[in-house]
Amino acid sequence: MWRFLAGVGSALALVAAGLFLFRSNAATEKLPPPPAMAAAMPEADAALPDDSPAATARTREQKRFDRYDKDRDGRITRDEYLASRRKAYTKLDTNGDGRLSFDEWAAKTATKFTTADKGRDGALDSAEFATTAVKRKPKRRVECPPATTTADDS
């Protein structure tokens, strides 16, 4: 029983210490004011536009909605919603009978296994298995223009 009470007491002490530490005001370092850029480069103000560019008003969800809404009537019918699934199903149904057998469903996986099995022994070793990893497209990298130097920087 004393262990239980000691545990509860230590937990309460930790909570109190945490509240004390997080509520304390941390000392912040005062930074010097930024340099006056307008006075140093008056020609830069003339080149800046009056308003900032606005982002597109369409959200990710609106774009997704538009991909499904093929007739652009602002509504997604059941046929529009299932169109992408039908295309995928049709690709899998190789004999066109409207039913998927296990072999039709697993055809891509079986082909991938056969291609990876270089030794043709019916089993994949670790090197062969590594070739079956999904190839992901790398994220697009945005190239920034090189920084320009002014006479003040040199």
Side-chain angles (χ1 to χ4, degrees):
M1 180 70 175
W2 66 271
R3 287 183 183 173
F4 176 75
L5 291 175
V8 169
S10 63
L12 288 174
L14 284 173
V15 169
L19 288 174
F20 176 74
L21 290 174
F22 285 113
R23 291 197 180 251
S24 66
N25 291 334
T28 57
E29 178 182 328
K30 297 234 179 200
L31 297 175
M37 296 298 287
M41 298 186 315
E43 68 278 353
D45 283 341
L48 295 177
D50 291 337
D51 57 342
S52 61
T56 178
R58 292 178 36 161
T59 64
R60 171 181 263 162
E61 192 60 30
Q62 288 169 330
K63 291 176 185 177
R64 183 174 161 260
F65 182 89
D66 289 343
R67 280 195 304 271
Y68 280 90
D69 186 18
K70 299 296 183 190
D71 59 3
R72 303 287 184 240
D73 64 349
R75 297 173 9 151
I76 298 174
T77 62
R78 186 175 194 272
D79 290 335
E80 288 174 329
Y81 189 72
L82 296 176
S84 63
R85 304 288 186 243
R86 277 196 190 91
K87 288 178 185 175
Y89 184 88
T90 304
K91 285 181 183 177
L92 292 175
D93 186 19
T94 55
N95 62 4
D97 65 351
R99 297 180 182 189
L100 283 183
S101 66
F102 179 79
D103 292 335
E104 287 175 324
W105 179 74
K108 187 173 182 179
T109 304
T111 304
K112 189 181 239 186
F113 181 89
T114 306
T115 305
D117 187 17
K118 300 294 184 194
R120 303 288 182 246
D121 58 355
L124 299 178
D125 61 20
S126 61
E128 291 171 335
F129 179 73
T131 64
T132 64
V134 176
K135 307 294 188 275
R136 304 225 184 261
K137 293 180 182 177
K139 289 185 179 181
R140 250 182 30 180
R141 189 177 180 127
V142 178
E143 296 294 329
C144 295
T148 59
T149 57
T150 61
D152 295 338
D153 291 343
S154 5

